[in-house]
Amino acid sequence: MDVFYVHPTTFRSARNEWNQRPGDVEADRWTDESAILRQASAFTGCCRVWAPRYRAASVNAVISSTHRDEAFALAFTDVERAFDWFLANVSKGRPFILAGHSQGAKHISDLMQKRIDGTALQGRMVAAYIVGINLGQGEFGPRRFKSIPVCSRPAQTGCALQWNAVLAGSDLEKKLAPYRAFYTAQYGTQDGWEPVCVNPVTFDSARPASLSAEALGAAPGTPGLGPMKPLRAGAVAVRCDRGLAVVHLAPGLDLEPFPGGTMHLHDIGLFYADVRANAALRVKAWFSRLRRN
């Protein structure tokens, strides 16, 4: 089994550079140790992970209203070519998982829409872990993803899942307002605007809340250079509330939120061992169904 993983925004150049430079040693190291080590490696329990280099939109581009769309478009051309290479040279007809966080999740969602939804490749997609963006519930259906559903059960395959972590006590309405506005501008309606939230511990729509005792292991510390610290089990309680994954953290995890309580940097690290176990479960379920058919 193979995973096609796309990393988030990691190019932090102070200059007016809109996309990550190929071969930039410093940027590549930061990407590898702050993101790939702490996110993509969660899938190595079940699969071979392929994490391509690409000209990701820079931090400057992401915060720029003038250059953002152009930078994302250029980055996606790299992702799409990398996916073609992955299919031809890595996957070679085998099933696969898609995974990405933040900017990487945006590219994965665009790839899923353009290249997988309703095509023969959909039958090979075990799941898509699209983490840290704001896909609305109404995008799964006629508006965007016409035949790929949201994952509602832990062992379901051929589906997509998403969550955005925020600290308990955060102003949810303040965080949700821009999601609602973007969705309304995109689709001309507020119907279905609330973000998809799949609880990243239970992975079960019937269990939107979980106790800290159920959490298999979080990665302590803010992502950065150097190895991961040992995982801590039983350290995160989480509930889906209005489309956001609201978390209560045990003391000592040393996870720094963004202003307002957004835990964006830790969307996968908070649930590292849970994601690892769930990916393995979905792979097992996929092969079980293949044998029965």
Side-chain angles (χ1 to χ4, degrees):
M1 185 71 71
D2 308 295
V3 174
F4 183 81
Y5 161 87
V6 183
H7 68 76
T9 306
T10 55
F11 190 46
R12 306 172 297 164
S13 172
R15 293 176 287 182
N16 289 330
E17 297 178 281
W18 309 118
N19 291 84
Q20 188 161 328
R21 294 190 302 270
D24 185 309
V25 174
E26 182 180 349
D28 286 347
R29 184 189 175 201
W30 179 259
T31 299
D32 291 346
E33 297 186 24
S34 73
I36 293 176
L37 176 63
R38 298 163 187 269
Q39 295 184 356
S41 66
F43 296 93
T44 59
C46 67
C47 312
R48 301 187 309 166
V49 176
W50 198 66
R53 305 286 191 204
Y54 74 106
R55 291 173 292 177
S58 67
V59 171
N60 287 336
V62 170
I63 62 177
S64 166
S65 59
T66 305
H67 298 281
R68 183 188 307 115
D69 290 347
E70 184 179 359
F72 277 141
L74 176 62
F76 182 71
T77 65
D78 283 0
V79 170
E80 189 171 19
R81 284 195 301 271
F83 184 62
D84 285 334
W85 198 95
F86 168 83
L87 292 175
N89 297 280
V90 178
S91 181
K92 297 182 179 179
R94 291 191 297 269
F96 57 83
I97 288 173
L98 298 178
H101 177 249
S102 193
Q103 177 179 168
K106 170 184 164 44
H107 297 316
I108 287 294
S109 70
D110 291 343
L111 192 69
M112 191 172 76
Q113 177 185 11
K114 181 178 179 181
R115 300 294 302 279
I116 295 173
D117 189 37
T119 74
L121 286 176
Q122 186 174 333
R124 289 167 52 192
M125 189 187 81
V126 175
Y129 291 77
I130 303 173
V131 183
I133 56 173
N134 58 327
L135 297 178
Q137 295 175 10
E139 293 183 76
F140 289 85
R143 293 198 180 104
R144 189 175 181 191
F145 306 111
K146 297 178 174 57
S147 55
I148 297 175
V150 174
C151 298
S152 59
R153 302 180 308 280
Q156 184 178 350
T157 59
C159 55
L161 53 157
Q162 173 190 268
W163 63 87
N164 289 276
V166 300
L167 281 177
S170 300
D171 186 340
L172 299 189
E173 179 55 36
K174 185 175 181 179
K175 296 183 183 307
L176 289 167
Y179 295 177
R180 184 191 297 111
F182 180 83
Y183 184 95
T184 303
Q186 188 82 4
Y187 298 107
T189 178
Q190 291 190 14
D191 181 45
W193 73 269
E194 191 169 282
V196 169
C197 179
V198 174
N199 181 303
V201 171
T202 69
F203 295 94
D204 189 341
S205 62
R207 295 191 61 217
S210 55
L211 301 174
S212 57
E214 300 175 76
L216 297 179
T222 297
L225 297 177
M228 286 175 53
K229 297 178 181 178
L231 299 178
R232 283 189 56 189
V236 183
V238 56
R239 74 179 189 278
C240 286
D241 187 350
R242 300 182 64 194
L244 297 174
V246 179
V247 297
H248 297 257
L249 307 182
L253 279 178
D254 297 324
L255 302 178
E256 296 181 11
F258 282 151
T262 298
M263 299 298 289
H264 187 65
L265 290 178
H266 316 290
D267 280 323
I268 293 179
L270 278 166
F271 314 105
Y272 184 97
D274 305 277
V275 171
R276 189 177 186 86
N278 182 252
L281 177 65
R282 292 187 198 274
V283 168
K284 181 179 179 181
W286 196 94
F287 281 117
S288 295
R289 292 183 184 115
L290 180 66
R291 286 192 292 270
R292 289 199 300 268
N293 295 332

